[in-house]
């Protein structure tokens, strides 16, 4: 049997994953030299409160030792592991998982998958992989689904405060300066190689920003068979406006998944930011 392992960037706490028969290792948020586990020791609301108090948080990837222990626990039972991590380049979780794989007792039974995404699309990939695993599907079948599905992913973000992206090294000084100087709405897109974020466009209104992103989706073949993914840093109003724009463009029956961002991603995107993404699950 296959067991699914992931990180908290997929919006699974350790308990939520365990309840579904999976394993999740939390990312870490550090504030004033003290580290907190995603969801377990700090929530998005608690983090935003600390940011509003002037605290400057940072993040780190899951413990390699914790991953090794999980891999050993699963493989000692005779099961195989598929560890689905957030995008390599945007985080060190993929590289850490590779190190953990080489350090565990049965590396030949562990497959580490670079999802090349994060937030809600990663959550959807993990959930579907787990459904397949629980149904007794093979590692090869699950990996085929992951590879084909991730090719349909596209990811944008609207930051409210560019300084968080700048501190995290996810964008460059010029982009941060431009967004701050003009007081317009910057649109950031994950590059096709999924290794960094880059400035896509600047809009004068959120309505125009949503339209530009959806124009891009349509040019890439996105239609009502895709799942639209919205993740926000306690900005339900902006997420609701984005959902309305999606339904106007793609129909009222289109599937939209809205989730609050995990604490570790808020550290990178900043308060109020919105991730606007698409994905389609393809098994064959």
């Amino acid at each position: 049997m296959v067991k699914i392992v992931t990180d908290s960037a997929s919006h699974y706490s350790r308990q939520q994953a365990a309840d579904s028969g999976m394993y999740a290792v939390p990312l870490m948020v550090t504030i004033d030299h003290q580290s907190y586990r995603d969801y377990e020791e700090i929530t998005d609301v608690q983090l935003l409160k600390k940011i509003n108090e002037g605290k400057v948080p940072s993040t780190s990837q899951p413990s390699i030792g914790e991953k090794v222990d999980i891999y050993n626990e699963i493989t000692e039972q005779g099961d195989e592991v598929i560890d689905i991590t957030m995008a390599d380049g945007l985080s060190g979780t993929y590289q850490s998982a590779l190190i953990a794989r080489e350090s565990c007792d049965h590396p030949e039974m562990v497959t580490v998958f670079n999802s090349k995404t994060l937030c809600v699309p990663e959550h959807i990939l993990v959930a579907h992989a787990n459904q397949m695993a629980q149904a007794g599907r093979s590692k090869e079948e699950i990996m085929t689904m992951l590879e084909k599905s991730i090719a349909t992913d596209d990811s944008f973000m609207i930051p409210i405060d560019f300084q968080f992206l700048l501190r995290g090294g996810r964008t460059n000084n010029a982009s941060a300066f431009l967004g701050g100087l003009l007081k317009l709405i910057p649109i950031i897109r994950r590059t096709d190689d999924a290794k960094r974020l880059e400035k896509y466009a600047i809009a004068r209104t959120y309505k125009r920003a949503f339209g530009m992103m959806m124009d891009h989706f349509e040019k890439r073949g996105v239609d009502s068979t895709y799942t639209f993914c919205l993740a926000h840093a306690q900005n339900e109003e902006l997420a609701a406006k984005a959902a309305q724009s999606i339904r106007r463009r793609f129909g009222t029956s289109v599937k939209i998944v809205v989730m609050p961002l995990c604490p570790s991603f808020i550290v990178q995107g900043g308060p109020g930011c919105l991730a606007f993404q698409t994905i389609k699950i393809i098994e064959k």
Side-chain angles (χ1 to χ4, degrees), residues 23-238:
Y23 298 77
V25 181
L27 292 141
M28 306 296 290
V29 175
T30 301
I31 303 171
D32 290 340
H33 307 293
Q34 182 172 349
S35 293
Y36 304 85
R37 293 173 177 269
D38 254 3
Y39 295 122
E40 297 176 13
E41 298 170 333
I42 193 165
T43 66
D44 57 336
V45 174
Q46 291 168 336
L47 173 62
L48 288 168
K49 183 176 183 294
K50 289 182 179 294
I51 290 173
N52 289 335
E53 292 170 352
K55 304 295 184 181
V56 180
S58 60
T59 60
S60 60
Q61 53 265 30
S63 162
I64 292 175
E66 193 168 350
K67 280 282 182 89
V68 170
D69 290 342
I70 289 173
Y71 295 167
N72 286 339
E73 177 185 340
I74 295 171
T75 56
E76 283 171 6
Q77 297 170 357
D79 294 325
E80 294 186 279
V81 175
I82 296 179
D83 187 350
I84 303 171
T85 77
M86 68 184 292
D88 183 31
L90 297 180
S91 167
T93 56
Y94 175 70
Q95 295 299 326
S96 293
L98 291 178
I99 294 171
R101 176 186 178 275
E102 293 307 310
S103 303
C104 73
D105 295 338
H106 300 283
E108 73 282 358
M109 299 175 68
V110 178
T111 300
V112 179
F113 179 73
N114 172 17
S115 74
K116 299 183 180 179
T117 190
L118 63 171
C119 304
V120 182
E122 185 184 354
H123 177 88
I124 291 171
L125 284 172
V126 168
H128 199 80
N130 188 54
Q131 289 174 7
M132 294 177 71
Q134 295 294 318
R137 304 287 288 274
S138 69
K139 180 185 75 173
E140 290 71 24
E141 288 176 307
I142 297 171
M143 289 301 296
T144 295
M145 180 279 295
L146 291 170
E147 293 286 358
K148 289 187 175 182
S149 299
I150 200 57
T152 71
D153 167 80
D154 209 336
S155 296
F156 286 95
M157 184 176 70
I158 295 177
I160 304 301
D161 186 340
F162 246 118
Q163 294 307 309
F164 287 80
L165 285 173
L166 183 59
R167 279 200 301 267
R170 268 64 181 182
T171 189
N172 59 43
N173 287 332
S175 295
F177 176 75
L178 185 59
L181 177 67
L182 299 180
K183 302 299 183 183
L184 298 177
I185 299 168
I187 304 170
I188 304 299
R189 181 173 176 265
R190 187 214 61 202
T191 56
D192 288 332
D193 63 9
K195 290 187 177 296
R196 65 189 187 282
L197 303 175
E198 64 181 8
K199 188 185 72 178
Y200 178 77
I202 293 177
R204 292 188 177 275
T205 65
Y206 285 115
K207 181 179 179 180
R208 178 57 182 150
F210 298 149
M212 293 169 74
M213 290 185 283
M214 289 187 291
D215 288 345
H216 173 89
F217 290 152
E218 285 192 319
K219 288 177 182 178
R220 290 174 65 96
V222 172
D223 56 25
S224 59
T225 65
Y226 280 64
T227 297
F228 290 82
C229 308
L230 301 170
H232 62 90
Q234 286 296 306
N235 197 342
E236 294 180 359
E237 181 180 357
L238 187 59

